mmCIF file of all heavy atoms in Angstrom:
data_model
loop_
_atom_site.group_PDB
_atom_site.id
_atom_site.type_symbol
_atom_site.label_atom_id
_atom_site.label_comp_id
_atom_site.label_asym_id
_atom_site.label_seq_id
_atom_site.Cartn_x
_atom_site.Cartn_y
_atom_site.Cartn_z
ATOM 1 N N TYR A 144 107.368 130.194 97.655
ATOM 2 C CA TYR A 144 107.014 131.196 98.716
ATOM 3 C C TYR A 144 108.315 131.821 99.271
ATOM 4 O O TYR A 144 108.420 133.051 99.404
ATOM 5 C CB TYR A 144 106.192 130.539 99.808
ATOM 6 C CG TYR A 144 105.916 131.426 100.962
ATOM 7 C CD1 TYR A 144 104.929 132.370 100.863
ATOM 8 C CD2 TYR A 144 106.640 131.348 102.180
ATOM 9 C CE1 TYR A 144 104.652 133.265 101.922
ATOM 10 C CE2 TYR A 144 106.348 132.182 103.214
ATOM 11 C CZ TYR A 144 105.373 133.131 103.106
ATOM 12 O OH TYR A 144 105.114 133.977 104.120
ATOM 13 N N GLN A 145 109.290 130.947 99.593
ATOM 14 C CA GLN A 145 110.535 131.459 100.149
ATOM 15 C C GLN A 145 111.231 132.370 99.125
ATOM 16 O O GLN A 145 111.698 133.474 99.491
ATOM 17 C CB GLN A 145 111.452 130.288 100.504
ATOM 18 C CG GLN A 145 112.806 130.716 101.005
ATOM 19 C CD GLN A 145 113.783 129.549 101.113
ATOM 20 O OE1 GLN A 145 113.661 128.556 100.367
ATOM 21 N NE2 GLN A 145 114.734 129.669 101.980
ATOM 22 N N ARG A 146 111.281 131.991 97.865
ATOM 23 C CA ARG A 146 111.890 132.807 96.814
ATOM 24 C C ARG A 146 111.197 134.153 96.699
ATOM 25 O O ARG A 146 111.796 135.212 96.657
ATOM 26 C CB ARG A 146 111.853 132.062 95.496
ATOM 27 C CG ARG A 146 113.216 131.865 94.866
ATOM 28 C CD ARG A 146 113.186 131.210 93.514
ATOM 29 N NE ARG A 146 112.057 130.422 93.118
ATOM 30 C CZ ARG A 146 111.912 129.108 93.353
ATOM 31 N NH1 ARG A 146 112.856 128.459 94.067
ATOM 32 N NH2 ARG A 146 110.856 128.446 92.969
ATOM 33 N N THR A 147 109.864 134.116 96.699
ATOM 34 C CA THR A 147 109.067 135.341 96.561
ATOM 35 C C THR A 147 109.317 136.254 97.767
ATOM 36 O O THR A 147 109.502 137.462 97.616
ATOM 37 C CB THR A 147 107.535 135.014 96.422
ATOM 38 O OG1 THR A 147 107.370 134.205 95.284
ATOM 39 C CG2 THR A 147 106.735 136.281 96.330
ATOM 40 N N LEU A 148 109.278 135.652 98.938
ATOM 41 C CA LEU A 148 109.520 136.424 100.161
ATOM 42 C C LEU A 148 110.909 137.074 100.136
ATOM 43 O O LEU A 148 111.035 138.267 100.400
ATOM 44 C CB LEU A 148 109.400 135.507 101.399
ATOM 45 C CG LEU A 148 109.540 136.150 102.726
ATOM 46 C CD1 LEU A 148 108.425 137.163 102.979
ATOM 47 C CD2 LEU A 148 109.526 135.087 103.819
ATOM 48 N N LEU A 149 111.941 136.288 99.808
ATOM 49 C CA LEU A 149 113.313 136.838 99.797
ATOM 50 C C LEU A 149 113.449 137.938 98.769
ATOM 51 O O LEU A 149 114.068 138.970 99.026
ATOM 52 C CB LEU A 149 114.328 135.730 99.504
ATOM 53 C CG LEU A 149 114.585 134.723 100.583
ATOM 54 C CD1 LEU A 149 115.504 133.611 100.113
ATOM 55 C CD2 LEU A 149 115.226 135.450 101.823
ATOM 56 N N ASN A 150 112.848 137.769 97.598
ATOM 57 C CA ASN A 150 113.039 138.738 96.515
ATOM 58 C C ASN A 150 112.244 140.010 96.724
ATOM 59 O O ASN A 150 112.530 141.027 96.037
ATOM 60 C CB ASN A 150 112.692 138.103 95.139
ATOM 61 C CG ASN A 150 113.799 137.193 94.693
ATOM 62 O OD1 ASN A 150 114.965 137.419 94.968
ATOM 63 N ND2 ASN A 150 113.413 136.154 93.943
ATOM 64 N N ASN A 151 111.347 140.045 97.668
ATOM 65 C CA ASN A 151 110.613 141.290 97.936
ATOM 66 C C ASN A 151 111.287 142.167 98.962
ATOM 67 O O ASN A 151 110.829 143.260 99.212
ATOM 68 C CB ASN A 151 109.198 140.966 98.361
ATOM 69 C CG ASN A 151 108.316 140.647 97.129
ATOM 70 O OD1 ASN A 151 108.287 141.442 96.201
ATOM 71 N ND2 ASN A 151 107.676 139.462 97.125
ATOM 72 N N PHE A 152 112.371 141.710 99.609
ATOM 73 C CA PHE A 152 113.124 142.553 100.475
ATOM 74 C C PHE A 152 114.022 143.468 99.597
ATOM 75 O O PHE A 152 114.645 142.995 98.673
ATOM 76 C CB PHE A 152 114.061 141.729 101.428
ATOM 77 C CG PHE A 152 113.302 141.072 102.517
ATOM 78 C CD1 PHE A 152 113.295 139.683 102.570
ATOM 79 C CD2 PHE A 152 112.666 141.781 103.478
ATOM 80 C CE1 PHE A 152 112.599 139.047 103.595
ATOM 81 C CE2 PHE A 152 111.987 141.138 104.512
ATOM 82 C CZ PHE A 152 111.957 139.748 104.547
ATOM 83 N N PRO A 153 114.074 144.744 99.945
ATOM 84 C CA PRO A 153 114.880 145.669 99.128
ATOM 85 C C PRO A 153 116.381 145.565 99.432
ATOM 86 O O PRO A 153 117.215 146.203 98.744
ATOM 87 C CB PRO A 153 114.319 147.031 99.497
ATOM 88 C CG PRO A 153 113.825 146.899 100.862
ATOM 89 C CD PRO A 153 113.295 145.446 100.934
ATOM 90 N N PHE A 154 116.733 144.781 100.413
ATOM 91 C CA PHE A 154 118.135 144.701 100.787
ATOM 92 C C PHE A 154 118.591 143.221 100.673
ATOM 93 O O PHE A 154 117.742 142.338 100.513
ATOM 94 C CB PHE A 154 118.351 145.168 102.267
ATOM 95 C CG PHE A 154 117.290 144.632 103.209
ATOM 96 C CD1 PHE A 154 117.419 143.406 103.793
ATOM 97 C CD2 PHE A 154 116.174 145.405 103.480
ATOM 98 C CE1 PHE A 154 116.463 142.914 104.661
ATOM 99 C CE2 PHE A 154 115.183 144.922 104.330
ATOM 100 C CZ PHE A 154 115.328 143.690 104.937
ATOM 101 N N VAL A 156 119.536 139.575 101.321
ATOM 102 C CA VAL A 156 119.145 138.594 102.294
ATOM 103 C C VAL A 156 119.665 137.232 101.793
ATOM 104 O O VAL A 156 119.553 136.945 100.584
ATOM 105 C CB VAL A 156 117.616 138.503 102.446
ATOM 106 C CG1 VAL A 156 117.220 137.401 103.459
ATOM 107 C CG2 VAL A 156 117.058 139.841 102.902
ATOM 108 N N GLY A 168 119.504 133.088 98.324
ATOM 109 C CA GLY A 168 119.685 134.494 98.459
ATOM 110 C C GLY A 168 118.692 135.200 97.535
ATOM 111 O O GLY A 168 118.133 134.589 96.606
ATOM 112 N N ASN A 169 118.500 136.495 97.811
ATOM 113 C CA ASN A 169 117.554 137.216 97.003
ATOM 114 C C ASN A 169 118.216 137.978 95.861
ATOM 115 O O ASN A 169 119.430 137.953 95.717
ATOM 116 C CB ASN A 169 116.697 138.162 97.860
ATOM 117 C CG ASN A 169 117.501 139.278 98.505
ATOM 118 O OD1 ASN A 169 118.730 139.357 98.350
ATOM 119 N ND2 ASN A 169 116.774 140.155 99.208
ATOM 120 N N ASP A 170 117.370 138.633 95.001
ATOM 121 C CA ASP A 170 117.889 139.375 93.857
ATOM 122 C C ASP A 170 118.836 140.473 94.290
ATOM 123 O O ASP A 170 119.818 140.803 93.614
ATOM 124 C CB ASP A 170 116.732 139.918 93.034
ATOM 125 C CG ASP A 170 115.971 138.827 92.311
ATOM 126 O OD1 ASP A 170 116.503 137.706 92.184
ATOM 127 O OD2 ASP A 170 114.861 139.123 91.885
ATOM 128 N N ALA A 171 118.561 141.149 95.414
ATOM 129 C CA ALA A 171 119.413 142.225 95.885
ATOM 130 C C ALA A 171 120.814 141.734 96.191
ATOM 131 O O ALA A 171 121.801 142.377 95.929
ATOM 132 C CB ALA A 171 118.784 142.921 97.134
ATOM 133 N N LEU A 172 120.924 140.518 96.770
ATOM 134 C CA LEU A 172 122.237 139.939 97.025
ATOM 135 C C LEU A 172 122.916 139.624 95.726
ATOM 136 O O LEU A 172 124.118 139.831 95.598
ATOM 137 C CB LEU A 172 122.095 138.655 97.906
ATOM 138 C CG LEU A 172 123.381 137.911 98.219
ATOM 139 C CD1 LEU A 172 124.323 138.774 99.022
ATOM 140 C CD2 LEU A 172 123.076 136.630 98.923
ATOM 141 N N ARG A 174 122.593 141.143 92.898
ATOM 142 C CA ARG A 174 123.053 142.398 92.287
ATOM 143 C C ARG A 174 124.325 142.868 93.045
ATOM 144 O O ARG A 174 125.306 143.276 92.447
ATOM 145 C CB ARG A 174 121.990 143.462 92.352
ATOM 146 C CG ARG A 174 120.896 143.256 91.291
ATOM 147 C CD ARG A 174 119.942 144.448 91.208
ATOM 148 N NE ARG A 174 119.211 144.685 92.433
ATOM 149 C CZ ARG A 174 118.113 144.040 92.800
ATOM 150 N NH1 ARG A 174 117.592 143.136 92.003
ATOM 151 N NH2 ARG A 174 117.507 144.318 93.956
ATOM 152 N N MET A 181 120.958 134.315 91.551
ATOM 153 C CA MET A 181 121.540 133.711 92.789
ATOM 154 C C MET A 181 122.008 132.300 92.581
ATOM 155 O O MET A 181 122.881 131.847 93.289
ATOM 156 C CB MET A 181 120.508 133.774 93.897
ATOM 157 C CG MET A 181 120.610 134.957 94.864
ATOM 158 S SD MET A 181 122.210 135.671 95.105
ATOM 159 C CE MET A 181 123.218 134.429 95.769
#
Side-chain angles (χ1 to χ4, degrees):
Y144 175 77
Q145 177 190 27
R146 235 183 341 270
T147 301
L148 183 64
L149 287 175
N150 284 328
N151 280 308
F152 286 115
F154 46 85
V156 178
N169 66 356
D170 290 343
L172 178 63
R174 285 189 298 276
M181 263 331 299

